[in-house]
Structures are given as structure tokens and as C-alpha cells.
Amino acid sequence: MKRNRSVLILLLMVLCVGALGSGAVPPQETRALRAAERVAHPLRTTGPYGDQADLRPLGRMVDGAKVVGLGEATHSSHEFFTLKHRVLRYLVEHEGFRTFALETSWSSGLRLDAYVRKGEGDPRRIMREEFQDTYAWWNTEEYLALIEWMRAYNVRHPGDPVRFMGDDFAYAGPEQYDRVLRYAARYRPDLLPRLTALYRGLRPTTPAGAYMKAYLARPLAERRAMAVRAEAALSLLARQPVPASATEDAHAWAVQHARALAQTARGYAFDFDDPEQLRASMGYRDRLMADNVAWWQARTGHKVLLSAHNSHVSYRTSDPRYPRMQGAFLRERLGEGYVSAAVTFGTGSFNATGPDGTARVHTVGAPPRNSTESFLDRVRPGDYLMDLRTSPPAARAWLSRPRPTRSIGTSYPERPHDIAPAASHDLLLHLHHVTPAHLLVPPS
């Protein structure tokens, strides 16, 4: 009998181990799930139109923020882009936000800003000309709808307009050089010959995509010499007092335009074949994007909704190639005036380049059992929003531990990153399913 009892106990132990291995949820995770369920606010839709009452909790969560970084787990999913449109509308109409900042070049942002403020140009053409190469993923129906909504809002509210900014560096269009040189011609004509000489050969004469590719193909010594000239132009303009005939605001904008030109040149002046130089270039990029957003916010006084990848709005890096993220720099500059919100997903599709370099739709199924997304998918059946800062201890403890998490950029396959959401972001929005964004022109 004793022997039978021992065999029975052994069998029960094997069954228990088998049950755990086949998907039984450990008690600690069950407690975390129940705790997260209590603070998960359901989202009615990811579409930009209709009632916005479900976003009121978001309004409370970002109260007091000067900049809200709203991320995305892929760079080209329809629901991520429409959700950003929806959040922008809510924050503009109910929380006083007035700028939408995108991970695109400073000069591209200024062209789109001129359209949304004054109706200058055709947004389709601007997007086609500006969103090339690195930025081609933004040339979508979803972003066109967002930009056209901003223009329509400004037509209705001419005295209190919304604005569009680009915070990145990879392309500086010819109009950017014109802005700096026009300022010099009007207010400091004595500087114009020197500035013109320093900028010679830097001004683009080809489409944006071709210009970026050609810039990278230049010898390193030439790229570094170009950076020195662009920085000399910035220094020449920045060290001058405000001319008597100019306003302080006009001078500040001219210096910032020159700074953006210097950022572009310096951003290309790294040796991208050297792993340490490549890492330094990534740190430089995140820092300058934060600098530009912080400068814009301080100059305009606007509350800013910043759109970027989850990794860029994060406080922590999950990739050894990136030493420090834009979100960390913004928290350093703005303190609690910066709020970071990640947007994750369970299943679905997105656009990205494959191993052969061709842009196509990729689809992923249910997330792995030990992943962040697997946990988030089980919190509740629909899409939702939660504040990681005030979540119950059981949920916060679980979400503070690094686990495999999707972090998909412009190419795929991309390995999961070990990310602790509660240590990396303040808020989290989880979507159960996403579909590809609608590209107006496929990236090439």
C-alpha cells in the first residue's frame, strides 16, 4: 500500500509539472493579471472619429505634461497611426495641445507646418517629396488624414492654430538653406557672403531619397569637412547679437534653422563601419531629436504630442546599439513635464522591408507565452489603456521585469527585445490586433 501511495504521489507530481508546462498560469502572474484588469481602461476604437469619452482617463494621466511621447511597436501599422490621429484630436480639443511632432526631418516638418497653418502647397506632394528613403513609412493615407485634419482645424480656429514639427535630421531640404540665407540677407548682409560660401555644396539638388543615399556614399573625410562647415555657419550666426531691425524671435528661429542644418551634416559625419562610431551616432540622433522637441516646446509654449517608435520615446534602451533614448533626454530636460506612452499589439500585420530589401507586408501570430504581449493580451479582451505609474503593486512588479517584447523598426525579421514596460514608460496602450498601414508610395 505504501509503495502504491508513493507511485500515486509521483504521478501527481508529474501531472502537476506537465500542467504547468502546458500553459498553467503561475499564481504570481494570475495576481498580476487581476491587478492589471482593475486599472485597464477600455478603448472604444482606434479610429480618429466619433465619441472620445473613453480617452478622458488619458487626459487625466497626461495632466501637467508639456510633451507626451506616443510610441508604436512597428513603424507601419494602420491602427497605430489612426490611434495617434485620435489621441491628437482629443489632446487638441480637450487638453490644449497644439503641436504634433513626428520622427522626420526638421525641414520636412516646416513644409508640412506651412500647409497646416497657411494652406501652402499640396500635402500629397509634400509627403511624396519629403517622405522618402528613411522616412518613406510615413507616406500613408493615415498620416495624410491626420495632416488634413490639422489643416481643417486651423481653418476653423485661425487665432489658435495647431502646428506640425519634424524633430529628426536625415534630410535638410533646400528651403532650409533659403531660410537662413534670407535672414542674413535681410538683417545681417555682412554675413551673407561667408554663410553662402560655408553652405556651398551642402544644399540638395536631387530628390530627398537620392540625396540621402548619395550623402552616405561620400568619403568619410568629405562628410566630416561638410559638418565642420555647417557648424561654422551655425556658430557665425549664433554668436551675433540680435540685429536692431530684427525681433528676438526671428533671430532665435534663424539660429535654430542653422542648427538643424548643422545637425544633418554632423549626423552623417560618423564612421558607420565602426561599431563604436555607429553607437555614438545613434546616441547623437536621440539627443538631437530631444533637443529639437524641447527647443520647440520652449519657443512656442505649446504642449506637444510626439510620435516615434516605442524605443525612442522610452526611458531605457533595449538595444546595445543605442546608448540612450530620446525619452531619457526629454525626461532630463523636462522632468515630469515629459510623459512616455508605449503602444503594443498582440497579433497582426505591418509593412517592413524583408531580408531582400523589398518592402512587403509581414504578419505575426499569437505572441510567445513568456512575452510581454502574451500577458497584455490576457488582461482584457479589447484594446485598453493603463497608467503604469499608478498600477497596483502586483501588476507593476510583473511589468517591471524585462521580458521578450516586440520592437519592430523598418525591417523584419527583428528579434524581440528584453523590455520592462513599467521601467521604460509611464503609460501603455495595448491593441489586440493591427493591420498594415496604407502606403501611398511603397518605399524603395
Side-chain angles (χ1 to χ4, degrees), residues 394-416:
R396 184 166 178 80
W398 201 95
L399 292 167
S400 294
R401 180 179 171 184
R403 288 181 171 82
T405 307
R406 294 189 185 119
S407 184
I408 300 165
T410 59
S411 61
Y412 191 78
E414 172 73 35
R415 64 171 180 81

Side-chain angles (χ1 to χ4, degrees), residues 199-313:
Y199 284 146
R200 189 168 294 120
L202 276 66
R203 179 191 176 98
T205 57
T206 62
Y211 180 80
M212 287 186 267
K213 286 183 173 68
Y215 208 136
L216 283 170
R218 295 173 186 262
L220 178 60
E222 183 179 348
R223 286 184 274 129
R224 287 179 170 170
M226 293 167 74
V228 169
R229 288 195 285 124
E231 289 169 343
L234 168 62
S235 178
L236 179 63
L237 198 60
R239 68 173 180 254
Q240 305 297 327
V242 179
S245 56
T247 64
E248 190 276 334
D249 194 58
H251 180 72
W253 279 97
V255 171
Q256 175 62 19
H257 295 328
R259 183 176 296 115
L261 293 174
Q263 289 171 346
T264 295
R266 178 54 59 188
Y268 282 107
F270 292 87
D271 182 355
F272 300 110
D273 293 325
D274 180 337
E276 285 305 310
Q277 279 276 296
L278 177 62
R279 190 169 186 271
S281 75
M282 297 302 176
Y284 174 77
R285 181 188 178 211
D286 272 86
R287 176 163 56 83
L288 74 85
M289 290 194 294
D291 287 344
N292 288 337
V293 171
W295 183 91
W296 181 288
Q297 194 284 318
R299 173 55 48 181
T300 64
H302 285 188
K303 295 180 182 180
V304 178
L305 178 63
L306 165 65
S307 172
H309 195 275
N310 283 342
S311 60
H312 288 302
V313 302

